[in-house]
Amino acid sequence: MFTLRITALVAPFFALPVFAASANEWQNRSIYQLVTDRFATSNGSSPSCDTSQRLYCGGTWQGVISKLDYIQNMGFDAIWISPVVANVEGNTGEGEAFHGYWTRDINSLNEHFGSADDLNALASALHSRGMYLMLDVVVNHMAATSNPPDYSSFSPFNTQADFHAECFISDYNNQTDVEQCWLGDTTVPLADLNTENDDIVNTMYTWIKGLIANYTADGVRIDTVKHIRKDFWPDFAQNAGVFTIGEVLDGDTNYVAPYTQVLDSVLDYPTFYPLTSAFVSPSGNLSALVDLVTQAQGSYKDGEFMTGSFLENQDNPRFQSMTLDQALVKNAMTWPFVQDGIPILYYGQEQGYTGGADPANREALWLSGYVEDKPLVNHVKTLNAARKAAIAYNSSFLTTPAKFLSTTSSTLALSKPPVLALLTNGGNSSSPSWSVPDAGFPANEPLVDVLSCTAINADGNGGVSASAQGGAPMVVVPVAALNKSGSVCPSLATGSGSQGSQGNGAGREVATGVAAMLAVGLSVVTGMLV
Ligand SMILES: *[C@@H]1O[C@H](CO)[C@@H](O)[C@H](O)[C@H]1NC(C)=O
Ligand SMILES: *[C@@H]1O[C@H](CO)[C@@H](O)[C@H](O)[C@H]1NC(C)=O
Ligand SMILES: *[C@@H]1O[C@H](CO)[C@@H](O)[C@H](O)[C@H]1NC(C)=O
Ligand SMILES: *[C@@H]1O[C@H](CO)[C@@H](O)[C@H](O)[C@H]1NC(C)=O
Ligand SMILES: *[C@@H]1O[C@H](CO)[C@@H](O)[C@H](O)[C@H]1NC(C)=O
Ligand SMILES: *[C@@H]1O[C@H](CO)[C@@H](O)[C@H](O)[C@H]1NC(C)=O
Ligand SMILES: *[C@@H]1O[C@H](CO)[C@@H](O)[C@H](O)[C@H]1NC(C)=O
Ligand SMILES: *[C@@H]1O[C@H](CO)[C@@H](O)[C@H](O)[C@H]1NC(C)=O
């Protein structure tokens, strides 16, 4: 794995510094995913929104701008919004295209969400806060409202010859079928673009470049990646020129791994499944999560580092539609913030939303009142702050794979120095305890569980023994890693929060690594650059 990682990173590092920098710049971010139509209205009104109707409810880009404080206050420094291009209009029989995934014209914007000025204003508002904008794009298909489609309704691909011959995907074990047959159904056929045709391919490459440039986007999430041949993607990513993260909807790391070679990153679907089942009940299988993550660390181009880690998204039932036990919820929500990948939180999870399968999981957030003083909002705030503190305290945090130290049927310990995450699926009536002799802290180091602000001391060998009430998770860090003027357990914190202040010389090590690499060619020090 280490060798693969070096190879993968060195090439873009020398050939395309801007591109490589973009992926690296995303690695220390934390992403808030929102459904534009359901997040916030332009004028702060709170129209009713019956998710089962699948109609536009009124969210806009101006609405998002008006609620950036809410997002930033939780510690997020990037947002992922719904696809922005013009979609099919009217009620298709499967509802309206409020989600943005039913493209009609790739060169026009979805006017329900606002104007080009509004989208540019959103990008500017984000950038002035030091936040990033991730666009969501669909390249595989266009959406029709009749079968066969009226091809002339699409733009710019307006003839049948621009598409693969109609056939709905019937065999997911046949990759040709997956790539060349169609998604959707006879009500909303998703006409599959002929991405074996050079004209189509070049149009898409030019388009993504223009889209990113026109709206100064910082990253792009790509829909239905596995439905286009793999060798389409490297040039698409290069034309995007920013961080690319692909949706490869499959739970098998062997299936997903090759896609990590053609894009910067994938959404971590393989982990999502065992993560959900591990924490959804006390009988969940924690070993299955450990095994899966270990496989992914060993088989993806950059291990798990660049993957997008999520517990919820727009396509799956929310976690709280499966259990309302807040201890299980808090444990599961902790995962994306303590592992190797980039944390992604799907809007509404912080408000305790409970929607089941699509369309129920696309609730209007305005109905929550955006209340900030709530247990899960505070949970997310603390987790984001702890991750930021960990990155600042030890730059190796981003480049050292998380290690599982001890797993029992109801507890696991995940070490990613300076963070030790102690998780449990015992549920709210359990009293979990963890014994982690090889936790790796300095002997007798003063530590704190940031979720409860409980002081803990490492033992004489740097090990940790701890227990929690009510099945709560613990996120343990040295008190020296926390800023004493900061928001996380300030009464115990002893650090200043500034990088390099604790003597591991993080910033300097990386600089030395680059210099050494340039001087002597590719040596083992490149491992530090991930
Ligand atoms: C993330 O890392 C980049 C360097 O790659 C640095 O410039 C930036 O300040 C860091 N941002 C955060 C939020 O830590
Ligand atoms: C807010 O905008 C909606 C939709 O455009 C409109 O129906 C409503 O009257 C507006 N409310 C206020 C208070 O301006
Ligand atoms: C795979 O799918 C393609 C496209 O549908 C089809 O032409 C081909 O016969 C299938 N191959 C097998 C082995 O089923
Ligand atoms: C970007 O802007 C150019 C110039 O206005 C325009 O021709 C092009 O269609 C735009 N591209 C997209 C994807 O919006
Ligand atoms: C848990 O998952 C592992 C696979 O990682 C499997 O070997 C084991 O049998 C499972 N345990 C139970 C109780 O199902
Ligand atoms: C544990 O969670 C369940 C499910 O939400 C709830 O019914 C129960 O009251 C909770 N028990 C405690 C002790 O919080
Ligand atoms: C920083 O991380 C590295 C790699 O995990 C670890 O060896 C080292 O002990 C950590 N240092 C601190 C101060 O956390
Ligand atoms: C520590 O917290 C204080 C108060 O919030 C803040 O001004 C300072 O920038 C923080 N230090 C770092 C390095 O984040």
Side-chain angles (χ1 to χ4, degrees):
M1 183 196 84
F2 200 63
T3 312
L4 282 177
R5 213 166 77 201
I6 290 170
T7 312
L9 281 160
V10 165
F13 182 80
F14 286 109
L16 297 163
V18 173
F19 182 48
S22 291
N24 285 344
E25 279 167 11
W26 277 87
Q27 204 198 344
N28 58 7
R29 299 266 157 175
S30 180
I31 304 170
Y32 187 78
Q33 179 199 355
L34 60 89
V35 172
T36 303
D37 180 62
R38 302 294 163 86
F39 179 70
T41 59
S42 294
N43 63 7
S45 62
S46 295
S48 63
C49 180
D50 176 353
T51 53
S52 70
Q53 297 294 306
R54 302 194 259 196
L55 303 177
Y56 280 100
C57 286
T60 61
W61 295 315
Q62 282 294 344
V64 179
I65 294 172
S66 73
K67 290 294 172 202
L68 288 180
D69 279 350
Y70 172 78
I71 297 173
Q72 195 174 24
N73 286 348
M74 280 185 279
F76 294 101
D77 43 20
I79 65 170
W80 153 15
I81 63 175
S82 304
V84 299
V85 300
N87 273 221
V88 298
E89 284 297 332
N91 196 328
T92 60
E94 292 176 0
E96 295 176 335
F98 71 91
H99 42 71
Y101 292 100
W102 288 343
T103 309
R104 180 179 56 79
D105 175 0
I106 61 172
N107 289 312
S108 304
L109 292 176
N110 186 330
E111 291 176 0
H112 295 270
F113 302 154
S115 64
D117 284 350
D118 293 334
L119 184 51
N120 276 313
L122 173 57
S124 301
L126 286 162
H127 294 155
S128 70
R129 290 164 183 260
M131 296 173 72
Y132 285 168
L133 173 62
M134 178 178 282
L135 296 183
D136 194 338
V137 298
V138 182
V139 183
N140 177 64
H141 52 259
M142 311 281 285
T145 53
S146 62
N147 191 45
D150 169 8
Y151 292 95
S152 70
S153 70
F154 300 141
S155 182
F157 313 109
N158 58 5
T159 69
Q160 185 166 3
D162 294 330
F163 298 85
H164 290 128
E166 179 166 344
C167 54
F168 289 102
I169 297 170
S170 60
D171 179 5
Y172 272 88
N173 293 317
N174 174 348
Q175 189 59 26
T176 308
D177 202 49
V178 169
E179 290 173 7
Q180 301 190 6
C181 286
W182 296 19
L183 289 161
D185 53 35
T186 54
T187 307
V188 183
L190 300 178
D192 206 78
L193 275 163
N194 182 358
T195 37
E196 278 69 33
N197 174 308
D198 285 346
D199 289 342
I200 307 274
V201 169
N202 289 329
T203 301
M204 278 305 189
Y205 290 171
T206 304
W207 170 74
I208 190 64
K209 195 173 200 158
L211 185 76
I212 298 291
N214 290 4
Y215 304 110
T216 57
D218 306 289
V220 59
R221 179 268 185 191
I222 308 167
D223 194 59
T224 47
V225 161
K226 73 177 185 185
H227 297 281
I228 298 184
R229 62 192 166 89
K230 294 184 185 72
D231 55 2
F232 169 87
W233 294 115
D235 285 346
F236 184 84
Q238 194 181 344
N239 277 283
V242 294
F243 177 60
T244 50
I245 181 165
E247 177 205 33
V248 181
L249 211 170
D250 199 286
D252 181 355
T253 55
N254 293 318
Y255 184 88
V256 172
Y259 292 95
T260 68
Q261 302 288 342
V262 296
L263 292 171
D264 286 329
S265 164
V266 294
L267 291 164
D268 198 0
Y269 259 107
T271 299
F272 163 75
Y273 297 109
L275 170 65
T276 302
S277 31
F279 288 104
V280 80
S281 88
S283 56
N285 189 338
L286 296 175
S287 301
L289 173 63
V290 172
D291 288 354
L292 190 293
V293 171
T294 307
Q295 272 172 33
Q297 286 178 323
S299 62
Y300 294 172
K301 180 182 68 183
D302 300 323
E304 285 271 44
F305 290 123
M306 295 293 173
T307 61
S309 179
F310 62 95
L311 179 65
E312 292 186 355
N313 67 20
Q314 80 287 2
D315 286 329
N316 290 281
R318 289 187 184 273
F319 193 74
Q320 292 213 55
S321 69
M322 296 173 278
T323 179
L324 292 170
D325 181 324
Q326 295 303 297
L328 293 173
V329 171
K330 284 187 176 167
N331 275 278
M333 282 179 72
T334 300
W335 173 266
F337 298 89
V338 296
Q339 48 71 62
D340 291 337
I342 303 169
I344 302 176
L345 186 105
Y346 180 57
Y347 87 102
Q349 185 171 32
E350 76 281 9
Q351 293 291 340
Y353 276 10
T354 59
D358 168 18
N361 58 358
R362 299 164 177 195
E363 306 95 318
L365 195 65
W366 51 82
L367 299 175
S368 74
Y370 309 96
V371 175
E372 294 190 42
D373 188 16
K374 278 186 129 169
L376 295 183
V377 176
N378 286 324
H379 190 51
V380 170
K381 252 183 214 179
T382 304
L383 291 167
N384 266 325
R387 187 174 180 88
K388 288 285 186 290
I391 293 168
Y393 189 66
N394 191 340
S395 71
S396 303
F397 179 85
L398 292 174
T399 58
T400 307
K403 269 194 300 215
F404 294 98
L405 293 183
S406 61
T407 306
T408 70
S409 62
S410 63
T411 63
L412 65 78
L414 185 70
S415 167
K416 199 167 163 61
V419 176
L420 177 68
L422 302 174
L423 304 181
T424 176
N425 65 358
N428 61 7
S429 60
S430 70
S431 303
S433 63
W434 296 264
S435 172
V436 192
D438 49 353
F441 290 109
N444 307 310
E445 178 85 349
L447 309 171
V448 55
D449 164 31
V450 297
L451 299 177
S452 64
C453 293
T454 303
I456 303 171
N457 253 53
D459 65 26
N461 298 314
V464 169
S465 293
S467 55
Q469 292 310 304
M474 301 178 91
V475 173
V476 177
V477 303
V479 295
L482 298 179
N483 184 349
K484 55 179 179 270
S485 330
S487 60
V488 183
C489 311
S491 65
L492 293 168
T494 62
S496 66
S498 70
Q499 181 158 0
S501 62
Q502 31 56 50
N504 90 325
R508 187 176 47 77
E509 265 177 49
V510 172
T512 309
V514 175
M517 194 171 78
L518 291 170
V520 303
L522 312 181
S523 71
V524 289
V525 296
T526 53
M528 289 180 224
L529 288 172
V530 175

